[in-house]
Amino acid sequence: MNFRFDDTPEGEFFETIVAAQGQLERKQNGRQSAQKMKARMQNGYWVHKAVVGYKYQQTRGRGKVLIPDAPLDGIIREAFEGFASGRFRTQAEVRRFFKSFPEFPRNIKGDITQERVHEIFIHPIYTGHICSDHYGIHWLKAQHEPLISMETFEKVQERRKGA
């Protein structure tokens, strides 16, 4: 701020009012942003960071839309289909499969964790659906192209649970 407040009761009062106004504006802006994000998700658009296998592309009239990101989309697809079919017997084998690709994103330590495999396998976005507990959205048909079928996703979930 470029304003100097007087060291008087009036100056202190004015400083409090200006600070409260700033806080109100920040909270209103946050609420408005959250409402816009929720509305966009309700329209079938993912609003968070793109997951492995997708990237954002600016599309006229639709804004940023997820599109498959080659070659990662093929790697993700092969991992899902391989695990669903039994080609990969364990999620540890899927992790080794991911590690065999230098272009597959790694964490800050340069590794691909088992948790990462788990996160990929349970994410419905790969089926062309959006879920968000925060926004109360569950299995909404999305505006992006799916990488795998619902059947493949369900087989992976069954195998993960040992069914």
Side-chain angles (χ1 to χ4, degrees):
M1 244 181 161
N2 297 351
F3 191 79
R4 281 187 56 89
F5 296 103
D6 294 337
D7 194 16
T8 64
E10 293 83 5
E12 188 178 314
F13 173 75
F14 186 65
E15 183 179 6
T16 302
I17 295 300
V18 170
Q21 180 183 7
Q23 181 181 12
L24 173 64
E25 289 172 0
R26 282 189 302 280
K27 287 187 174 190
Q28 287 174 329
N29 188 26
R31 180 182 60 205
Q32 186 178 37
S33 294
Q35 288 170 339
K36 287 179 180 180
M37 288 173 64
K38 181 178 182 177
R40 185 146 172 88
M41 284 192 81
Q42 288 172 329
N43 287 325
Y45 295 95
W46 187 245
V47 297
H48 305 293
K49 182 180 176 206
V51 297
V52 178
Y54 285 103
K55 64 182 177 182
Y56 280 109
Q57 180 178 51
Q58 188 70 32
T59 306
R60 182 181 289 220
R62 296 173 65 200
K64 288 183 176 181
V65 180
L66 286 179
I67 62 166
D69 182 18
L72 297 174
D73 61 333
I75 296 168
I76 294 290
R77 188 177 291 115
E78 189 174 345
F80 268 101
E81 291 171 356
F83 191 73
S85 69
R87 177 177 144 218
F88 300 122
R89 292 188 318 267
T90 66
Q91 291 183 63
E93 287 184 24
V94 174
R95 179 175 172 236
R96 284 191 290 278
F97 171 73
F98 286 156
K99 283 183 164 189
S100 72
F101 295 94
E103 64 271 28
F104 199 87
R106 282 147 168 80
N107 65 16
I108 199 158
K109 294 180 181 178
D111 196 17
I112 299 169
T113 63
Q114 202 59 47
E115 183 179 324
R116 184 67 172 285
V117 175
H118 171 77
E119 289 169 358
I120 289 169
F121 275 175
I122 65 168
H123 211 310
I125 201 160
Y126 295 109
T127 67
H129 291 84
I130 292 177
C131 293
S132 171
D133 289 337
H134 181 74
Y135 293 120
I137 297 171
H138 304 287
W139 291 95
L140 176 69
K141 181 75 176 120
Q143 299 288 333
H144 64 270
E145 175 187 331
L147 295 185
I148 61 165
S149 68
M150 277 299 296
E151 180 183 7
T152 300
F153 185 81
E154 289 168 357
K155 283 181 184 176
V156 166
Q157 303 320 304
E158 288 172 14
R159 291 224 38 234
R160 282 184 50 255
K161 293 175 182 158

